[in-house]
Amino acid sequence: LTIGVMVWMAMSGAAVAAEGVVGQRPYELDWAGRLADSHPALVDFEDLAGWTVVTRDAEASFERSREQQIWGEGVGKLVYRATGPTPEVRVVPPAPLPIAAAFDAVHCWIYGNTWGYSRQPSTPEVTLSLCFLDAAGEEFQVMLVRVNWVEWHLCHRRLTPEQVARVAPGGVRFAGFSITGGRNRDDRTIYLDSLCVFTEAFPPLRF
């Protein structure tokens, strides 16, 4: 998307939500003794100072929240609604985040707001993509997932060979999240936590 062609509205997302109601972690993680994600987080959502939302045909806010819990204490809470026919919300860090090593996979935990098997017209499924800048400063997106569930899900995507080639030289930066398809006219909410980028390993299975 080109800001010079489209009309955008930016809103500050730096505010940190008050503690308020603190949610419960998924009991399966507690039972398994899992207190940390499987990979180090590029974004852990514990401190969102300086993050902003940039919108087209939409209004949105983004803040740290404890209403839902999974890793650490804070998660990212995105509230959004459409004001026009082609809504897009971008959640943007204060500056693009450098990624030191090449990677071929990404994952992020997302708490959704609608079930795919029981679609509600008032809550359309949104598509969430990750925006990166390659070594030349050119943006490319990795489509992560179409959100069609409620509760926490781990969303994983392996990069295409073309995308892997763009991140291999290094100098890649994470530029934010893109959320499209949210045509709902009333506020809807999703939560994000633990965005990780990594190289997948496939050791031999042992029985």
Side-chain angles (χ1 to χ4, degrees):
L1 294 174
T2 304
I3 294 179
V5 175
M6 309 240 178
V7 177
W8 296 83
M9 178 181 67
M11 299 173 60
S12 173
V16 175
E19 289 292 297
V21 176
V22 178
Q24 295 292 321
R25 299 180 75 233
Y27 67 86
E28 299 94 335
L29 297 179
D30 288 336
W31 288 2
R34 288 189 60 189
L35 301 178
D37 202 354
S38 55
H39 299 277
L42 176 66
V43 182
D44 62 12
F45 300 92
E46 296 295 333
D47 182 1
L48 296 178
W51 284 68
T52 57
V53 294
V54 181
T55 67
R56 181 194 64 206
D57 286 351
E59 291 185 358
S61 65
F62 186 64
E63 62 184 3
R64 182 181 183 272
S65 173
R66 299 201 67 194
E67 294 172 358
Q68 302 296 341
Q69 294 283 276
I70 187 163
W71 308 115
E73 294 187 347
V75 303
K77 177 183 178 181
L78 176 66
V79 181
Y80 62 92
R81 62 183 176 89
T83 59
T86 57
E88 178 180 4
V89 175
R90 289 205 176 193
V91 179
V92 182
L97 303 176
I99 302 172
F103 58 96
D104 61 15
V106 295
H107 83 217
C108 186
W109 290 82
I110 302 176
Y111 194 107
N113 56 20
T114 189
W115 290 111
Y117 64 78
S118 179
R119 290 183 172 88
Q120 302 296 321
S122 62
T123 309
E125 299 174 3
V126 296
T127 297
L128 188 143
S129 300
L130 307 177
C131 305
F132 295 95
L133 300 175
D134 64 17
E138 297 294 327
E139 181 181 289
F140 69 97
Q141 294 190 10
V142 176
M143 197 287 280
L144 182 62
V145 73
R146 189 176 177 89
V147 179
N148 58 7
W149 64 85
V150 181
E151 301 176 350
W152 285 110
H153 276 54
L154 174 60
C155 305
H156 174 277
R157 179 70 64 178
R158 186 169 177 82
L159 274 62
T160 66
E162 293 78 13
Q163 291 168 341
V164 170
R166 295 185 76 170
V167 304
V172 177
R173 293 169 292 161
F174 173 68
F177 301 89
S178 171
I179 298 92
T180 57
R183 297 180 304 279
N184 44 283
R185 295 294 176 161
D186 297 319
D187 285 348
R188 293 293 181 265
T189 303
I190 61 174
Y191 300 85
L192 311 175
D193 202 13
S194 190
L195 169 66
C196 303
V197 302
F198 52 95
T199 296
E200 286 192 293
F202 300 100
L205 295 176
R206 299 184 65 181
F207 298 94

